[in-house]
Amino acid sequence: MEKRVDIRHIGNLIRIARKMAGLSQMELAEKLGISYQQVQKYEKGLSEISLSRLSQIAHALNTPINRFISDDEKMMVSESMSLYGILSDDEIELLRFFRKIKNKKLKAEFLMVMKNISELSEKGLSKKAKS
Amino acid sequence: MEKRVDIRHIGNLIRIARKMAGLSQMELAEKLGISYQQVQKYEKGLSEISLSRLSQIAHALNTPINRFISDDEKMMVSESMSLYGILSDDEIELLRFFRKIKNKKLKAEFLMVMKNISELSEKGLSKKAKS
DNA sequence: CTATTTTTACTACTTTTAGTTGTATTTGTC
DNA sequence: GACAAATACAACTAAAAGTAGTAAAAATAG
């Protein structure tokens, strides 16, 4: 019977959730009471994850366990993000910081700045940015 | 760390789902490509169940996988990070702009600014910048 | 830029357990 | 009663979880 869950995909989700929580592999491993190398295997999809373990992980990361298993792809967030879920490290950090900012006005302004910069960047100004 | 999923409970759910589907342990085992004795272990809670396996079982029994795990009602929330998968419109925009910026250095610097701001924001001065 | 520490990656090894096989009960129905 | 099924339990083997050691990136400091 075919495998109906992509273990590597789940690994990615775990990694993203971990980084969003601002934890290192080591810190997560400690919470789980296992070696960080084993956490690596989970994230890289080199080791199967039992339900108990996934439950622990979800708890350690303050994330509902469903986040990792909902097999239908209604996880698609928006078309603007091509490959759903696959965020780069930078992007994860960006989001993490952005979420820390509580002041709405500040967030909005920040977004505007970002927008303007990105538009400039689009016009081929990317070379001469440096001194 | 404590186990947050009752493996025996899941076993019961599997057994029930199996009977609902009108299958014997043997028949289910065959579908899974394992021995029926192993199915017994699942049902009795004597063997951990991996995600892949549970996914197979759910499929074999025409049951959504969530049926076996979701019931943990009020798991979460720690508002800060909890819903990483669901991005707000703001966040999607933020990402979109961020991705437009090609200059790596610029991106990195932008991230730093964001980080510093968020750290300030964290220290509870979200309302009024210090004078 | 260099040194140092932290974080992550890869490989080899050990231990645990998933999974198998064999046999014994149980639960039918004829 | 006999006879098949479905389920239970124990001992064993194969496979994978988990560990440990080392190396390479990334951050962070100096």
Side-chain angles (χ1 to χ4, degrees):
Chain A
M1 187 173 188
E2 87 267 45
K3 298 267 179 189
R4 301 199 27 86
V5 153
D6 183 357
I7 183 176
R8 291 187 56 190
H9 175 58
I10 293 177
N12 274 330
L13 295 181
I14 290 176
R15 165 161 302 193
I16 290 173
R18 173 175 63 77
K19 292 195 170 176
M20 294 291 266
L23 295 178
S24 67
Q25 291 177 342
M26 238 174 171
E27 290 167 317
L28 176 55
E30 181 139 8
K31 286 194 174 200
L32 302 176
I34 59 176
S35 65
Y36 65 93
Q37 289 95 333
Q38 187 57 30
V39 171
Q40 268 176 36
K41 289 194 183 174
Y42 293 146
E43 294 187 356
K44 292 247 163 188
L46 298 175
S47 187
E48 275 285 348
I49 305 172
S50 73
L51 282 174
S52 315
R53 189 64 85 200
L54 187 70
S55 170
Q56 292 177 330
I57 292 173
H59 184 239
L61 299 179
N62 284 320
T63 304
I65 195 171
N66 294 322
R67 185 80 69 227
F68 301 112
I69 45 159
S70 63
D71 31 9
D72 10 0
E73 48 241 61
K74 61 182 173 196
M75 303 181 80
M76 276 288 235
V77 156
S78 151
E79 299 155 34
S80 67
M81 342 202 59
S82 48
L83 295 168
Y84 117 72
I86 311 288
L87 303 177
S88 72
D89 286 357
D90 277 0
E91 288 163 350
I92 292 172
E93 269 208 308
L94 183 74
L95 268 180
R96 202 171 131 241
F97 296 142
F98 190 67
R99 287 184 177 184
K100 270 194 188 166
I101 301 174
K102 294 287 180 266
N103 186 315
K104 300 243 179 191
K105 188 144 187 255
L106 188 54
K107 287 184 94 154
E109 282 168 359
F110 203 85
L111 208 52
M112 278 306 296
V113 172
M114 172 71 99
K115 177 176 181 178
N116 290 328
I117 289 180
S118 73
E119 277 165 1
L120 285 180
S121 186
E122 217 173 14
K123 294 198 172 18
L125 177 64
S126 52
K127 314 188 162 235
K128 206 56 190 333
K130 214 181 150 189
S131 74
Chain B
M1 188 175 188
E2 88 266 43
K3 298 267 178 187
R4 299 198 33 85
V5 152
D6 184 357
I7 183 175
R8 293 187 56 191
H9 181 241
I10 293 175
N12 278 328
L13 294 180
I14 291 176
R15 167 161 301 192
I16 291 171
R18 173 174 62 78
K19 293 195 169 172
M20 296 286 257
L23 295 179
S24 67
Q25 290 178 343
M26 236 173 174
E27 290 167 318
L28 175 56
E30 182 137 10
K31 285 197 174 199
L32 302 176
I34 60 177
S35 64
Y36 66 92
Q37 289 94 334
Q38 186 58 30
V39 171
Q40 269 175 35
K41 289 192 183 175
Y42 292 147
E43 294 186 356
K44 293 247 165 190
L46 297 175
S47 187
E48 275 286 349
I49 305 171
S50 73
L51 281 174
S52 314
R53 189 63 85 199
L54 186 70
S55 173
Q56 291 178 331
I57 292 173
H59 185 239
L61 299 178
N62 285 319
T63 306
I65 194 170
N66 294 322
R67 193 176 190 309
F68 301 113
I69 44 155
S70 60
D71 316 350
D72 49 24
E73 49 248 80
K74 60 180 179 196
M75 181 165 234
M76 69 188 101
V77 179
S78 175
E79 59 222 75
S80 56
M81 289 302 153
S82 59
L83 27 81
Y84 89 88
I86 303 151
L87 302 178
S88 70
D89 290 351
D90 276 1
E91 287 164 348
I92 292 174
E93 266 208 310
L94 183 74
L95 274 177
R96 232 180 77 231
F97 295 143
F98 191 67
R99 286 186 176 182
K100 270 194 190 165
I101 302 174
K102 294 287 180 267
N103 186 316
K104 301 239 178 190
K105 187 132 192 274
L106 189 55
K107 288 185 94 154
E109 281 169 358
F110 202 85
L111 210 52
M112 276 306 295
V113 173
M114 174 70 100
K115 177 177 182 176
N116 290 327
I117 290 180
S118 75
E119 275 165 3
L120 285 180
S121 188
E122 206 172 17
K123 293 198 172 14
L125 90 146
S126 50
K127 302 188 170 239
K128 198 60 186 153
K130 201 171 64 167
S131 315

